[in-house]
Amino acid sequence: MSIKNQYNMNNVQFKPEGQLNEINVQFSHKAQLGRPVNPNSARQKRLATAPGKKTGRPVNPSSVRQQRLAELEAKRIANGGTIKRGRPVNATSERQLRLADLAARRAAGTLKRGRPAGSGKKANNAEKVEVVVVGTV
């Protein structure tokens, strides 16, 4: 029997539902896709004793990043929940005036949409020239 088949057999035979319920660890079938959970491990016992505790790297409150995030949060609270980002809009610029005019005409219903119709007759239709090539190359 190969190692791969033996691992798959062990993974299928392992049924942690009952063992994990004894130590108040929630079992999910999605968790069984990877490595089997050992309910007697120190990590599982620690997780069972402190549910809801965040795992991973602890936050250093005196770090430069945390200070910057605290300053941004203070600015956000002072400005009513938002922080302005990027280049501010100049309301008197040519583009902003044009956009405001378009918005006003669109709201009034006087904005023409689509391509202009143009005239029905074309000037170049009257003169058609046919080119005939005689001879061989």
Side-chain angles (χ1 to χ4, degrees):
M1 183 184 294
S2 70
I3 294 174
K4 185 175 182 182
N5 288 341
Q6 184 179 4
Y7 176 76
N8 286 341
M9 285 178 57
N10 289 341
N11 199 14
V12 170
Q13 291 172 353
F14 182 71
K15 305 260 186 246
E17 293 94 345
Q19 293 174 343
L20 291 176
N21 284 339
E22 293 171 5
I23 59 171
N24 298 326
V25 175
Q26 200 171 26
F27 175 76
S28 169
H29 286 285
K30 289 183 180 179
Q32 198 173 358
L33 293 176
R35 205 171 98 188
V37 176
N38 180 7
N40 297 322
S41 69
R43 182 176 188 276
Q44 289 301 322
K45 290 176 182 175
R46 179 175 46 86
L47 291 174
T49 58
K53 181 182 176 188
K54 288 188 176 181
T55 59
R57 185 174 179 210
V59 175
N60 180 6
S62 62
S63 69
V64 175
R65 182 176 188 275
Q66 292 300 319
Q67 290 174 359
R68 180 170 42 85
L69 291 176
E71 289 173 8
L72 285 174
E73 189 62 32
K75 280 184 185 178
R76 185 175 286 118
I77 292 170
N79 289 337
T82 59
I83 295 178
K84 292 185 178 180
R85 294 169 24 162
R87 185 176 172 185
V89 175
N90 182 3
T92 60
S93 70
E94 183 179 332
R95 181 175 186 275
Q96 291 300 320
L97 293 173
R98 180 171 43 85
L99 290 175
D101 179 49
L102 283 172
R105 291 194 338 216
R106 190 173 288 122
T110 59
L111 181 67
K112 291 184 179 179
R113 297 179 59 185
R115 183 176 176 191
S119 63
K121 295 181 180 179
K122 299 293 180 190
N124 294 338
N125 281 351
E127 297 179 26
K128 282 191 175 180
V129 178
E130 287 188 31
V131 178
V132 178
V133 178
V134 179
T136 59
V137 177

